[in-house]
Structure formats: C-alpha cells, structure tokens
Amino acid sequence: MNRRPHSRRFKELKQEFFEEGRRLDEAGDTVANCWICGKRIDYAAAPSSTDMSHELDHYYPFSIYPELHDDPANFRHSHRKCNRERGNGQPKANLGDVIADWW
C-alpha cells in the first residue's frame, strides 16, 4: 500500500482548497457542495471532524494515481462520509427517483 506524502506544501494546498470551498459556499456557489452526493458541506465544522464536514477528495484516487496527489486539478470538495464510502472506487450513480411498479 502506498503511503500518502504529507508534505508542508500539500498541507498548504489542502488548507487553501478548504478556504476556497468556504468562500464559494458563503457566496452560494454549488461548486462548494460535495461532488459525490451534491449536497451542501458543513464548512462551520473543522475539516474531517464530522461525517458532514469538508474533506479533500482526489478525483483520481491516490492509490491508483500517486503522481496526482499534489495536483489541485485533482482535488474535489466532499463530505468526509462520502469520501470514505467511495474509497478508491467510482461514486455510486444517482439514478433519480424510483418509479412505482404500476407505472
């Protein structure tokens, strides 16, 4: 298993990304929402502190693409819970409402 590098630079990038998300959220921009479920993130909570708090997610997972770990173009805003459930797989497709059998 690859160990994630936690360099000073990555910590700075991670903090900048969180602050960008908070600014976008305050402005009402949905880009700050969780890219996995589409719902609003609790930016008042400390990052990675609750299931609904912000967590930096890598669109291309570190375990498969370690060279993209520090690439901000690979960063996505997510809930801690959504990111953990996703793991290094693809997000579950939200296919919409279930239609009744009689339809």
Side-chain angles (χ1 to χ4, degrees):
M1 183 169 171
N2 293 333
R3 295 194 65 165
R4 291 178 186 261
H6 290 288
S7 67
R8 180 181 299 160
R9 178 67 185 140
F10 178 71
K11 289 177 183 177
E12 290 170 357
L13 289 170
K14 188 175 177 179
Q15 184 62 34
E16 289 171 10
F17 188 68
F18 171 72
E19 290 170 5
E20 173 196 38
R22 187 181 344 202
R23 282 191 302 275
L24 291 169
D25 182 64
E26 288 174 0
D29 192 331
T30 59
V31 172
N33 291 352
C34 177
W35 81 277
I36 298 170
C37 73
K39 296 180 182 170
R40 192 163 178 256
I41 295 171
D42 180 7
Y43 284 95
S48 301
S49 62
T50 68
D51 283 349
M52 299 305 284
S53 65
H54 183 272
E55 190 161 274
L56 184 153
D57 187 18
H58 291 88
Y59 182 80
Y60 295 104
F62 170 76
S63 61
I64 302 169
Y65 303 94
E67 68 276 10
L68 298 177
H69 183 262
D70 291 345
D71 184 354
N74 190 35
F75 297 171
R76 300 292 185 276
H77 300 287
S78 71
H79 291 114
R80 179 179 184 269
K81 181 179 180 183
C82 293
N83 188 20
R84 303 294 167 103
E85 287 178 358
R86 172 181 173 244
N88 72 344
Q90 292 298 315
K92 295 176 184 159
N94 181 359
L95 300 177
D97 297 330
V98 176
I99 298 174
D101 290 338
W102 56 266
W103 179 255

